[in-house]
Every structure is written in structure tokens, then in C-alpha cells.
Amino acid sequence: GDSVTQMEGPVTLSEEAFLTINCTYTATGYPSLFWYVQYPGEGLQLLLKATKADDKGSNKGFEATYRKETTSFHLEKGSVQVSDSAVYFCALSDRGDFNKFYFGSGTKLNVKP
Amino acid sequence: GAGVSQSPSNKVTEKGKDVELRCDPISGHTALYWYRQSLGQGLEFLIYFQGNSAPDKSGLPSDRFSAERTGGSVSTLTIQRTQQEDSAVYLCASSGRQGLSFSGNTIYFGEGSWLTVV
């Protein structure tokens, strides 16, 4: 069945460092891919998404490219800020059943000043 | 409404009591989901509604948990005879097809209901 695997955290970086959070997926069809962010004490918010191969989702300086050949959707940011400290979840939505969502286990990011 | 609304935002209950958590999805969204998130953990899928029916109840952890949705809108998650291990954040989310063509479905979350069983 469909699934999402993301790197375990926590990830600790200094401010202005480069961020990569790995995400790979398994899907029988052609899913849409998402990154959600959860700030402390809050619910999950959509960060970015991509709906087909080679699409790049971007928002707030974060980017992720839908790579069908490597079944990956890695999250990147060139220069992180303390305010980026949060838990990041990778997810997919199955086109075959567009209401099915699968989430990774989440990766906690700590950014130190 | 503009976003997914959940109530109560915080609930402290005594062990053995029943609790009801309410979710009001985004207007027009046909799909509604309940997830549970224990402290420092990922998302645990509980149940999914399409309209008023629940094609996937596979995540409900025990028969103390039940959920219903009426009028294709508001949903209630009920936990009977609460236990301390039920303490968690209960997240509701909704989604709906965007336009006539498949343009990438998106799931939107509420702020969650923080349940503490003492």
C-alpha cells in the first residue's frame, strides 16, 4: 500500500544553515505530495505541495521537488531562521482515491540562534 | 466556515468519564478526518468520513471510540470511559476536490482539541 517515510529527528541547525529533510514515498498511482508544518502548540498547516512529477512546490523560502524517478520529495531551505523551529510532516494523497492521505512520522527541527 | 473549527480547544476530564469532541469542517468539504497525536508523536489516523458515511474506521483504537457525522458537515468524536492513555491532541481535518479536474487535493487541519485524562 501507499506510505511515506521521512528522516527521523530531531534535526538541530544553527541560524542561516542549509536545511534538508528527506522524504520518500511508495504509491501505486500518481500521488500528490505535500509538506505540512506544525509550530509548537498549534495544528498542522500546509507548507507546500506538488501535484505531478517534476513540479516544485515553494513557500516561505522552502522548496520541494516531486521526483518520480527517486520517489522523493525532499524539503529544502537555503537559510533557516529560529522561527522555522517546528515539526515537519511529509504526506501524499492518492489520486486513485483522492481522499486518502498518508503522513510520515514527522521531523522535528530545532534552529539555534 | 473559513477554516476547520474544533471544540473544545482544551478538555480535562476524570478517568472513566465520557467526552465528546466536535469538528466543523470547511464549508463544502465532503471528506472529514480524525487523527490523534500523542505528546511528541506523529499522526495516528482514526477515522475518515466521505459525506455522512465512514468508509474507513480502521484506526479507531478500541470500541470506546466512536464518531458520527450528520448533514455532511459537523462531526463528533466520542470517547467513552476515558483512560489516561487517551490523553492526546485530537486533530480534525477536511478536504474537497478543487474544481472539475484533479488539481491536487489538499487536507486542512483544525487547531486540535487537547484532551487530558486525570
Side-chain angles (χ1 to χ4, degrees):
Chain A
D2 294 4
S3 66
V4 175
T5 303
Q6 60 183 105
M7 64 189 289
E8 290 190 21
V11 174
T12 302
L13 296 173
S14 297
E15 205 165 23
E16 299 184 1
F18 184 85
L19 168 71
T20 300
I21 299 179
N22 290 338
C23 172
T24 57
Y25 67 90
T26 301
T28 53
Y30 301 93
S32 292
L33 301 173
F34 307 82
W35 277 100
Y36 283 82
V37 59
Q38 186 178 34
Y39 298 104
E42 299 184 11
L44 274 74
Q45 304 173 23
L46 177 66
L47 180 60
L48 53 85
K49 71 177 186 182
T51 59
K52 62 183 187 296
D54 300 324
D55 268 4
K56 178 185 284 187
S58 61
N59 186 24
K60 299 181 181 179
F62 291 88
E63 293 184 340
T65 302
Y66 189 145
R67 300 285 188 201
K68 187 170 182 291
E69 63 276 14
T70 54
T71 62
S72 64
F73 193 56
H74 304 322
L75 182 68
E76 296 181 338
K77 187 173 185 181
S79 177
V80 293
Q81 305 299 312
V82 173
S83 57
D84 294 327
S85 297
V87 181
Y88 293 82
F89 292 89
C90 186
L92 73 82
S93 169
D94 187 341
R95 279 196 177 211
D97 179 351
F98 74 95
N99 280 320
K100 271 283 203 183
F101 285 86
Y102 300 85
F103 284 85
S105 56
T107 302
K108 185 172 184 179
L109 171 65
N110 295 316
V111 181
K112 296 183 174 180
Chain B
V4 178
S5 178
Q6 292 188 244
S7 62
S9 54
N10 282 285
K11 176 73 175 179
V12 179
T13 190
E14 291 181 353
K15 178 181 172 181
K17 295 286 179 75
D18 297 351
V19 295
E20 284 189 353
L21 307 176
R22 175 190 166 103
C23 174
D24 196 348
I26 292 173
S27 179
H29 278 187
T30 56
L32 185 147
Y33 312 77
W34 284 99
Y35 290 86
R36 180 168 71 174
Q37 187 176 31
S38 301
L39 187 63
Q41 302 297 309
L43 295 175
E44 178 186 3
F45 171 80
L46 297 179
I47 189 169
Y48 146 62
F49 287 92
Q50 177 60 38
N52 290 334
S53 64
D56 192 346
K57 303 180 183 179
S58 62
L60 292 177
S62 75
D63 59 7
R64 295 186 296 105
F65 287 73
S66 63
E68 65 175 11
R69 188 180 186 194
T70 56
S73 182
V74 172
S75 175
T76 303
L77 177 69
T78 301
I79 309 173
Q80 296 179 307
R81 306 180 301 282
T82 52
Q83 304 295 314
Q84 288 184 330
E85 61 264 27
D86 299 335
S87 297
V89 179
Y90 290 83
L91 293 168
C92 178
S94 70
S95 70
R97 186 177 286 274
Q98 296 173 348
L100 296 178
S101 62
F102 189 88
S103 59
N105 204 21
T106 302
I107 186 172
Y108 296 92
F109 285 84
E111 295 291 313
S113 290
W114 295 68
L115 175 66
T116 303
V117 181
V118 296

